[in-house]
Amino acid sequence: MSPDTYSDTPTLLDSEFDLRARAELAIAFEASDAPAHLYLKQQPLLARRFLAALLLVGGASGGVLAVRPPAMVRDAIDHEYHERTLRGSFMEQRQLLMHLGMREAKVLPGFPQLMRPCDIEGHLAYHLTTFFEKGGMVTVYAFDQPVDLREASGWWSNVHWKVIRSREGKPLLLVAQKKKALAVAQTALQVTPVDGPG
C-alpha cells in the first residue's frame, strides 16, 4: 500500500470563528499561566468507591443490629452452648412443671436430659433440656420473676430461638439447633392435656 491511500481522508478546515477564538485565547493566556486547579485530576471513581463501601458497611451493621435478639436471649443462647453436654436432674420435676406453666401435667414433655435452676442476665431461670422424638433437642427457659420478653423468633449464633407464652401466659424461651424442634416443643408446652381417654 502506498502512503497516498491514507491521505484520502478529508481534512477539516477551521472556520473563521475557530481561528479567531484560538487567537484571542493565545493573547489572553500564556501556556504557563494556566490555573493550578486545571492540572489536578479529580478521582470521582475513588470517591464513589468510598461512598459505596461506607453504605455497604452501614447497611450490613444495620442489618445485623436489626436481627440481633434481646440481651436476655443472647445470654440464654450462650448459657445453652456451655451446658449443652450436661445431663442430670438438679431439681424436682413438679417444681419445674409449675414454672413452665404446666401445673396440671404429670410429666415433663419429651425425654428430659437436664433440669436445673440457673442465672440468665441476672434473672433466676429454670433450665430444661429435653429431647422430642419428632423434633430433636430443645432447651426451655422459664423465668422465676416477670421478664420483658415479647413473642418473637430468630436465628443467632448458629441456633434457632423462639419466645412463646406458656399455658399460664408466662414467657418461655426455646433454643434449638433445628427449627422443627421449636415447633414440636411449642406444641407440647402450649397444648392443654386431655383428661382421660377420648
Side-chain angles (χ1 to χ4, degrees):
M1 292 194 169
S2 69
D4 294 336
T5 55
Y6 294 112
S7 63
D8 292 340
T9 58
T11 57
L12 298 175
L13 299 175
D14 288 334
S15 68
E16 187 178 324
F17 173 78
D18 291 331
L19 293 173
R20 186 175 181 125
R22 261 195 224 126
E24 287 182 9
L25 286 174
I27 295 171
F29 296 107
E30 290 184 25
S32 62
D33 289 350
H37 72 276
L38 292 178
Y39 292 118
L40 296 177
K41 296 288 182 191
Q42 294 291 335
Q43 299 292 332
L45 186 59
L46 184 61
R48 288 181 194 153
R49 284 183 185 169
F50 177 73
L51 182 61
L54 188 64
L55 288 173
L56 181 66
V57 168
S61 62
V64 167
L65 292 176
V67 297
R68 185 177 180 188
M72 188 174 292
V73 174
R74 293 191 314 268
D75 193 33
I77 289 171
D78 186 52
H79 182 85
E80 185 269 340
Y81 174 78
H82 291 294
E83 294 191 352
R84 192 172 283 171
T85 58
L86 287 180
R87 300 289 178 257
S89 298
F90 300 97
M91 62 186 297
E92 284 186 33
Q93 183 173 335
R94 189 83 218 134
Q95 184 185 11
L96 186 56
L97 282 167
M98 284 180 20
H99 290 293
L100 290 173
M102 303 173 70
R103 295 178 194 277
E104 68 281 349
K106 304 274 189 252
V107 294
L108 288 165
F111 299 99
Q113 307 292 313
L114 177 64
M115 298 184 297
R116 70 181 294 259
C118 54
D119 178 53
I120 303 293
E121 191 77 10
H123 294 86
L124 178 61
Y126 297 95
H127 177 151
L128 167 66
T129 299
T130 187
F131 178 79
F132 292 97
E133 191 172 330
K134 294 186 179 179
M137 196 72 75
V138 179
T139 299
V140 182
Y141 295 100
F143 297 91
D144 191 38
Q145 299 296 322
V147 293
D148 184 29
L149 279 177
R150 297 186 194 115
E151 289 187 45
S153 64
W155 184 78
W156 187 261
S157 190
N158 208 25
V159 294
H160 298 277
W161 63 273
K162 188 170 194 172
V163 176
I164 63 170
R165 295 285 168 203
S166 70
R167 296 174 191 168
E168 296 176 354
K170 292 173 135 183
L172 299 176
L173 174 59
L174 312 176
V175 177
Q177 291 191 348
K178 295 180 183 178
K179 193 171 186 178
K180 181 181 178 183
L182 294 178
V184 173
Q186 181 175 1
T187 302
L189 292 166
Q190 289 182 327
V191 173
T192 307
V194 178
D195 293 336

